[in-house]
Amino acid sequence: MTDIATYNFAYLDEQTKRMIRRAILKGIAIPGYQVPFASREMPMPYGWGTGGVQVTASIIGPDDVLKVIDQGADDTTNAVSIRAFFKKVANVAVTTDTGSATIIQTRHRIPEHPLTAGQVLVYQVPIPEPLRFLEPRETETRKMHALEEYGLMHVKLYEDIARHGRIATTYAYPVKVEGRYVMDPSPTPKFDNPKMHRSPALQLFGAGREKRIYAVPPFTSVVSLDFEDHPFEVQTFDQPCALCAAENVYLDEVILDDHGGHMFVCSDTDHCEKRREEGHRGHLASETHLAPGNMEPAQ
Amino acid sequence: MTDEPLLRVSALSKFYGSRVGCDNVSFDLWPGEVLAVVGESGSGKTTLLNCLSTRLLPSSGTASYRMRDGQFRELYRMSEAERRFLMRTDWGFVHQNPADGLRMTVSAGANVGERLMAVGDRHYGKIRATAVDWLSRVEIDEDRIDDEPRAFSGGMRQRLQIARNLVTGPRLVFMDEPTGGLDVSVQARLLDLLRGLVTDLGLAAIVVTHDLAVARLLSQRMMVMKDGRVIESGLTDRVLDDPRAPYTQLLVSSILQV
C-alpha cells in the first residue's frame, strides 16, 4: 500500500487545484453560469461524483470538517467511500453531523438541518445543462444561455401539464438564478429547491464528466420556473417519518418484505437519528431491525 | 399599404469562395406583399432567402428592415440577440421540410406555444387556448393538440409549422418551397390556406419556389433567378403571361400541361 506521503494534500496537485479554484471563483462571480474546466481523471468512475470530489479537493483545508451524503444518507457506499478517501488523502476530520460540518459534499439532497453562513455545499452533478434534452446541440444551448432565450425551458413544463395535468418534473427541477441564468440544481428532489433560495451557505456544483463547474453564492435568489396558473409546489407526504415522526421533511419509501409492506422514513439519516436521540418516535421506531443505519435500541 | 417599404435590399451578394450564391440582388418589399422568387435548382433562390432571413451573412450588400417603431434597421449590423428576437417575433420561416422547423419530440400544442413562451407568456391556460385557436385556423383537429408532429402526415406537419410561425403575429414570413413534397390535393388546400392567412393577416412574404403555379397563386410580384442573378422581375401575371428574358420564356413554356 502506498504511503499517504506520496499524495499531494487532498489528492489533486496544486496546479489543478488552482485551475479549479479559478473556475469556482468565476462561477461565483456569475451565479448559475456553467464554467468549463479541465476535469481530471479521478480514482473513481464517472457518475460517482468525480466533479464533486474535485471541487471538494480544491477547497478543503486541514481545518475543515467534511460530511458526505448520498441521497441524504451518510452511510451509503458512495458517501462512505468519499469520506474515507478524504480522510486518507487530506487527513481531515469527518462527521455526519450537518451542523458541525464546514464542507458538505452531496449527491441529490440538501440536508434538512438549515445551513449556516460559512458552510459550503458541494453538489455532484451528472448533467449540468438544463436544456440538454430539449436542445441537444451544446453550441446552441450555450448561445441560448448567452442570449437569455429560455422559452424552451417552459416548453418542457408545458408538456408536463399537457400530459399529466400538472408539472410532473419532480427532480432536477429548473431554477432561475439571480434573475438571469437558468440552472439545473442537479437531481435533487424539487422539495429541496426552496432551500437554495437565499441560502446563507455557498453552493458549488461540479460535473466531472461534463467538465463544468457552477455556483450559487450565499444569499442569492433561486426561483423555480413555473406558470402563473400552475405555480411551483413541492412534494408533500401524507404521513410522517416512520422512525422519528418528522413532518415536512423528504421521505424515502423503504420496502420491508415481499408482501407489500413498506414504510416512509427520512432520507436525511443524520436528521432522523438526531430526532430519535431527542426522543421523537415514529410508529415503527421500536422495530430496530427494520431501521436503516445504526440505531440505538428503542426505549 | 403605407408609402414606405418593409424591407429594402440593395446589391446583396453571397459568394461561396469563387462560386456565386447570389449576385447583386436589389429589391423593395412592401407591407402585405407576397414576392415569389423562382428559378431552377442551384439558381441561388435559397441562398438569397437565407441571407435575407439572416440565417446566412452575405458577402456584400445591405438589407434594412422597418421595425414596428417605423425605424429602418440594417439587418447585418444588428446584434445576434436582436436578430434572433426578430426571428421569433416579427418574422417567420417556413422550411421546405417541416422537421427542420418543428420540434418533432414535443406536442403540437407546445410547438405552437413555444414562441409565446419565448416572448415571456407564462400562463398555461392562455397559451393552450391560443394553440387551440391556431390549430383550428390551420385545419388541425383540436384533439390532436397533444400529439407529437411525428404522428402527423406531411401536409399536417406543414400546416403545424405555419401555425407555429404565425402565432406571434409576424409581419414578414419567409417560405422555402412551402408545398414541396406534398401531393397535389394537399398542396392545393395548403395554398388555399396560405392565401387566406396572408390576406387576412396582411402578411408580407417572400416565397421561394420552383413551382410557377404556386408563384402565380400566392404572389403579386415575382423575381426570376438564374446563376445567382435576377434576370427578370415584375408583376406575377405579367412575367408569366409575357416573359421577356429568354430563360423565363423557357421556364414558362416548360410547365407541363395536364
Side-chain angles (χ1 to χ4, degrees):
Chain A
M1 187 63 216
T2 336
D3 189 64
I4 190 164
T6 56
Y7 288 104
N8 188 35
F9 177 77
Y11 188 77
L12 290 175
D13 62 280
E14 292 304 311
Q15 277 304 319
T16 299
K17 287 194 214 168
R18 285 183 62 173
M19 174 270 292
I20 293 173
R21 284 174 199 146
R22 246 182 249 128
I24 292 172
L25 286 174
K26 184 168 180 182
I28 292 171
I30 318 171
Y33 170 71
Q34 299 166 44
V35 186
F37 80 109
S39 178
R40 298 291 193 247
E41 291 285 331
M42 296 303 283
M44 59 203 287
Y46 284 136
W48 286 66
T50 51
V53 163
Q54 289 180 77
V55 170
T56 302
S58 306
I59 60 171
I60 203 164
D63 301 329
D64 274 311
V65 182
L66 179 70
K67 171 183 163 83
V68 184
I69 51 174
D70 176 358
Q71 308 267 16
D74 293 281
D75 53 7
T76 51
T77 314
N78 201 209
V80 170
S81 309
I82 293 173
R83 208 158 52 224
F85 174 75
F86 280 109
K87 209 168 162 183
K88 181 175 173 187
V89 298
N91 198 27
V92 291
V94 294
T95 183
T96 58
D97 174 30
T98 304
S100 56
T102 56
I103 299 173
I104 302 169
Q105 181 171 333
T106 175
R107 173 173 174 266
H108 306 184
R109 269 317 303 280
I110 299 174
E112 304 290 355
H113 187 275
L115 300 177
T116 54
Q119 287 187 307
V120 184
L121 190 57
V122 178
Y123 296 77
Q124 302 170 194
V125 182
I127 294 165
E129 179 51 71
L131 302 162
R132 171 71 48 88
F133 295 107
L134 301 155
E135 174 53 67
R137 289 168 296 175
E138 185 81 1
T139 46
E140 182 66 14
T141 56
R142 290 183 77 71
K143 199 165 271 178
M144 289 159 81
H145 282 294
L147 301 176
E148 222 180 326
E149 280 180 14
Y150 290 132
L152 198 53
M153 204 71 248
H154 273 86
V155 170
K156 157 95 173 74
L157 303 180
Y158 172 98
E159 285 288 274
D160 267 7
I161 303 174
R163 282 186 192 168
H164 308 286
R166 64 196 161 79
I167 298 178
T169 305
T170 52
Y171 66 96
Y173 192 102
V175 294
K176 195 163 210 182
V177 181
E178 204 59 19
R180 176 59 179 85
Y181 283 97
V182 166
M183 181 186 96
D184 183 343
S186 86
T188 51
K190 66 178 175 180
F191 181 88
D192 286 338
N193 276 18
K195 294 180 194 162
M196 305 179 81
H197 179 60
R198 300 197 58 76
S199 167
L202 169 63
Q203 303 174 74
L204 302 176
F205 299 78
R209 177 178 43 207
E210 300 266 338
K211 301 175 173 55
R212 295 285 185 275
I213 284 173
Y214 51 104
V216 175
F219 302 107
T220 301
S221 119
V222 177
V223 179
S224 305
L225 302 181
D226 60 2
F227 284 104
E228 289 159 17
D229 47 346
H230 286 267
F232 172 76
E233 45 193 34
V234 298
Q235 293 101 329
T236 52
F237 300 90
D238 48 15
Q239 48 186 300
C241 169
L243 296 178
C244 76
E247 290 178 347
N248 302 319
V249 293
Y250 193 74
L251 301 180
D252 281 342
E253 184 180 7
V254 177
I255 305 294
L256 298 176
D257 50 42
D258 54 3
H259 306 295
H262 63 125
M263 65 173 179
F264 286 93
V265 293
C266 292
S267 98
D268 187 335
T269 53
D270 174 57
H271 181 74
C272 198
E273 280 164 26
K274 289 260 168 41
R275 279 181 55 85
R276 275 177 279 143
E277 278 164 27
E278 290 164 8
H280 297 282
R281 283 290 174 273
H283 68 282
L284 287 176
S286 56
E287 301 171 55
T288 52
H289 63 283
L290 297 174
N294 53 332
M295 282 183 49
E296 80 282 21
Q299 289 166 349
Chain B
M1 289 220 180
T2 56
D3 49 1
E4 271 192 308
L6 192 61
L7 183 70
R8 280 186 182 140
V9 181
S10 157
L12 201 70
S13 301
K14 172 73 186 175
F15 301 100
Y16 300 103
S18 59
R19 307 214 180 277
V20 180
C22 61
D23 190 13
N24 200 21
V25 177
S26 304
F27 67 93
D28 285 347
L29 183 76
W30 301 78
E33 181 185 40
V34 180
L35 173 71
V37 182
V38 300
E40 60 192 10
S41 297
S43 61
K45 309 185 297 278
T46 301
T47 296
L48 176 65
L49 195 74
N50 284 338
C51 284
L52 293 174
S53 59
T54 70
R55 293 154 54 83
L56 264 182
L57 284 183
S59 312
S60 65
T62 60
S64 38
Y65 178 72
R66 187 156 57 81
M67 310 292 280
R68 289 191 188 223
D69 61 6
Q71 299 297 309
F72 274 96
R73 291 288 308 277
E74 209 177 301
L75 293 179
Y76 310 119
R77 289 173 187 247
M78 288 168 114
S79 71
E80 190 175 13
E82 288 174 303
R83 269 186 273 143
R84 284 173 70 122
F85 183 73
L86 202 60
M87 201 71 207
R88 62 176 192 261
T89 54
D90 221 18
W91 289 2
F93 196 107
V94 177
H95 295 262
Q96 175 173 11
N97 179 2
D100 295 339
L102 292 172
R103 291 197 189 276
M104 299 303 278
T105 53
V106 306
S107 70
N111 263 296
V112 177
E114 180 177 348
R115 273 179 163 230
L116 296 172
M117 294 182 251
V119 294
D121 213 323
R122 291 290 177 266
H123 192 286
Y124 174 82
K126 287 182 197 160
I127 293 167
R128 197 166 169 87
T130 313
V132 168
D133 176 44
W134 267 101
L135 289 181
S136 72
R137 287 167 86 162
V138 296
E139 298 165 15
I140 296 176
D141 282 341
E142 188 181 332
D143 62 5
R144 302 300 302 269
I145 188 169
D146 293 329
D147 291 351
E148 291 177 5
R150 279 189 296 207
F152 286 8
S153 68
M156 277 173 83
R157 288 180 189 184
Q158 197 56 288
R159 279 178 278 146
L160 179 63
Q161 193 192 183
I162 289 163
R164 172 181 159 89
N165 272 287
L166 298 187
V167 68
T168 48
R171 295 190 301 158
L172 174 58
V173 180
F174 302 97
M175 298 187 211
D176 189 3
E177 306 275 7
T179 57
L182 300 177
D183 63 60
V184 282
S185 61
V186 174
Q187 214 180 82
R189 277 177 63 204
L190 186 75
L191 284 173
D192 195 37
L193 174 78
L194 269 178
R195 197 151 65 153
L197 287 172
V198 166
T199 319
D200 291 350
L201 303 169
L203 288 175
I206 298 177
V207 184
V208 159
T209 179
H210 62 263
D211 187 336
L212 294 177
V214 169
R216 190 193 280 273
L217 263 173
L218 279 181
S219 68
Q220 288 106 34
R221 214 148 54 90
M222 182 180 239
M223 294 198 312
V224 183
M225 290 185 75
K226 184 169 191 328
D227 301 330
R229 288 182 188 82
V230 176
I231 52 164
E232 183 163 357
S233 65
L235 295 177
T236 302
D237 289 347
R238 203 282 293 156
V239 173
L240 290 180
D241 294 342
D242 178 23
R244 288 179 192 167
Y247 174 72
T248 317
Q249 291 169 358
L250 179 72
L251 204 63
V252 170
S253 64
S254 307
I255 299 175
L256 287 177
Q257 303 294 330
V258 182

